[in-house]
Amino acid sequence: MTTTSNAAPEFDVAVVGCGPTGLVASILLAQAGHRVVVLERHAEPYPLPRAVHFDHEVGRILQACGVGPEVREIIEPADVYEWRNGTGTTLLRFGIAGDAPSGWPSSSMFTQPVLEEILERRARSLSTIEIRRGVELAALHQGDDRVELVDTAGGTVTARWAIGADGANSTVRDLLGIPMVDLGYFFDWFVVDVIPDVPTVWSPMNVQICDPARPTTAVSGGPGRRRWEFLRLPHEPAEQFHTEANAWAMLESWDVRPDNARMERCAAYTFQARYAETWRRGRVLLAGDAAHQTPPFAGQGLCAGVRDAVNLAWKLDLVLRGLGNDALLDVYDDERLPHVSRAIEFAIELGKVICVPDPDEAAPRDAAMAPMVTDEPMPTPGLPGLSSGCLDLGSPFAGHLFVQGAVDGVPFDDVHGAGWRLVTTDVSGEVDPAIAEWFASIGGSIVPLADPDLTYARWFGEHPVTWALQRPDFYLYGTAADAASAGALLAGLRAHLGVTVAG
């Protein structure tokens, strides 16, 4: 149904869902000056743990939301992720120590309610965000310049654009009639979150026990917390397996008992591997679990949603300010879906290692994998860059994730911001003033590095370019070897955004 009105929409963007994806999108849009309303069906924040991991790229996105120092206080960096069989033989070991390319730990373990509290507090501090809890969506209608959202109490909200970030059982997705592509890979697990009475050092911090007698995950749940996940075997009745008593029974072998720990949560969890066929329908876009769900083994569920949020936020920002054509939004899922699909595929491949309840099937797996393990962990497997969308595809390294170094010991983004940045070690080169002025009009800035730190010195030393054009989501639009080529790169971006280049 279409809707028309002479009155201007109340908001620039309505976000349905107040989880990490919705909050990150809202904060980034509000920081750019846009009026945002967040509609959340739950009257109070969900108090129990769910996601427990994010990667270095997501850490940098959270930093862009203005909460970097607070988030660093609530994480437990995880250097190594180990996979063992039932006898303790290592089958896989990967990870890196120290900061990853984005200036954050490769893996950070955290407690979701604590992170959401930080994000919601940040959102409420911004004058252009309004959060409305206890509002359940019943209908939405689109017009030429607006979306009208109707709640179950009969209230309405109008916005120029809407984002459905309302989870795996998305009402927005259902109202739009967007089907899911189901890859048909799922298993039934039991998730148990525990707070030990006495702080304990677990080694390794994160481990998968690939034991056909009981495939088990044991990982950090953030500082002071621990999570176990137990696979329900085919012969076990669900109603008997998913009980608190059974959870304590399975924890006994880990020396975790009611007299030395508190159980914070135990819940049945059947993971999914699926994604929405399209992520845009008119003026409404999907993000996070509303657009895709993945098995947990690569720790990319929350990460994928936060990546959606930052990708969508900068595109909507330019469209709302009239600095970009709304065709930019047509390439949103073109950019994100291949990345999400690879994350899902990788998680499925990892799942095929652990979700093996048959000893005869596990034996050849162990024999093939164990000899490949070395004393040094393998690098954490990376996800692909972008291969289509708003990129100068003819430019070297376009679509690659760019690094974050430091300026006099301070993270680069905290000094120069996290928008469009043309970073260069060619400090004597000058870009044409007219195109530089246009670049500034979209929030871009040119950052010469007269004395680059080790991170930037290494990156530019390893890549035969001296100019790198970083998008607000930290992927490279493109690169250039000299100032003239850098100016041409900016002119190409201006054309790409749908703005006519002056002759």
Side-chain angles (χ1 to χ4, degrees), residues 52-53 76-84 92-94 107-110 202-209 216-222 225-227 254:
V52 294
H53 168 269
E76 187 170 27
D79 294 342
V80 176
Y81 188 21
E82 192 159 304
W83 295 54
R84 298 174 176 174
L92 275 174
R93 184 190 294 118
F94 51 84
S107 292
S108 293
M109 311 305 292
F110 72 103
W202 301 88
S203 182
M205 181 186 297
N206 296 334
V207 63
Q208 297 282 356
I209 307 299
T216 300
T217 300
V219 297
S220 167
R225 288 175 162 87
R226 193 74 179 160
R227 167 170 290 180
W254 296 84

Side-chain angles (χ1 to χ4, degrees), residues 147-418:
V147 181
E148 182 183 82
L149 300 100
V150 183
D151 64 46
T152 53
T156 62
V157 167
T158 57
R160 295 171 65 185
W161 297 89
I163 299 173
D166 51 340
N169 299 314
S170 170
T171 300
V172 173
R173 188 184 65 232
D174 289 345
L175 290 172
L176 294 173
I178 297 176
M180 298 290 282
V181 176
D182 195 326
L183 301 180
Y185 186 76
F186 53 88
F187 283 89
D188 188 8
W189 285 74
F190 195 23
V191 181
V192 182
D193 290 290
V194 169
I195 302 176
D197 293 342
V198 178
T200 303
V201 176
W202 301 88
S203 182
M205 181 186 297
N206 296 334
V207 63
Q208 297 282 356
I209 307 299
C210 306
D211 183 356
R214 175 71 67 202
T216 300
T217 300
V219 297
S220 167
R225 288 175 162 87
R226 193 74 179 160
R227 167 170 290 180
W228 280 267
E229 300 175 5
F230 302 101
L231 178 67
R232 182 172 68 85
L233 302 175
H235 67 275
E236 294 176 312
E239 64 276 8
Q240 296 176 19
F241 185 71
H242 296 129
T243 67
E244 184 174 335
N246 190 43
W248 283 120
M250 290 186 291
L251 290 172
E252 181 69 30
S253 64
W254 296 84
D255 195 29
V256 175
R257 305 177 307 276
D259 65 351
N260 65 15
R262 175 169 65 87
M263 189 173 295
E264 189 173 23
R265 170 181 178 250
C266 60
Y269 170 54
T270 301
F271 64 69
Q272 303 285 340
R274 58 181 194 157
Y275 56 87
E277 283 188 354
T278 181
W279 297 8
R280 179 184 182 185
R281 184 67 55 82
R283 288 181 167 269
V284 185
L285 302 109
L286 301 178
D289 285 356
H292 46 76
Q293 294 112 56
T294 180
F297 306 111
Q300 286 297 310
L302 177 139
C303 296
V306 171
R307 287 186 178 93
D308 295 344
V310 69
N311 185 296
L312 192 50
W314 73 257
K315 290 179 168 68
L316 275 171
D317 170 46
L318 292 178
V319 171
L320 285 163
R321 290 194 287 148
L323 299 173
N325 191 295
D326 84 352
L328 266 179
L329 300 172
D330 288 331
V331 302
Y332 162 55
D333 55 1
D334 289 343
E335 291 186 355
R336 289 292 305 128
L337 184 53
H339 199 278
V340 166
S341 296
R342 180 66 191 105
I344 294 173
E345 290 166 2
F346 179 51
I348 289 174
E349 290 306 309
L350 290 177
K352 289 177 180 177
V353 175
I354 188 172
C355 299
V356 179
D358 182 350
D360 292 335
E361 186 180 347
R365 174 202 66 190
D366 297 355
M369 296 181 68
M372 300 173 64
V373 177
T374 64
D375 291 338
E376 288 296 317
M378 297 186 301
T380 302
L383 291 168
L386 306 180
S387 57
S388 64
C390 187
L391 306 166
D392 181 355
L393 292 172
S395 173
F397 318 113
H400 288 216
L401 188 66
F402 195 44
V403 296
Q404 176 181 211
V407 179
D408 296 328
V410 180
F412 178 94
D413 297 347
D414 290 349
V415 176
H416 294 291

Side-chain angles (χ1 to χ4, degrees), residues 16-31:
V16 184
C18 197
T21 299
L23 285 167
V24 167
S26 301
I27 291 166
L28 293 173
L29 286 163
Q31 288 178 166

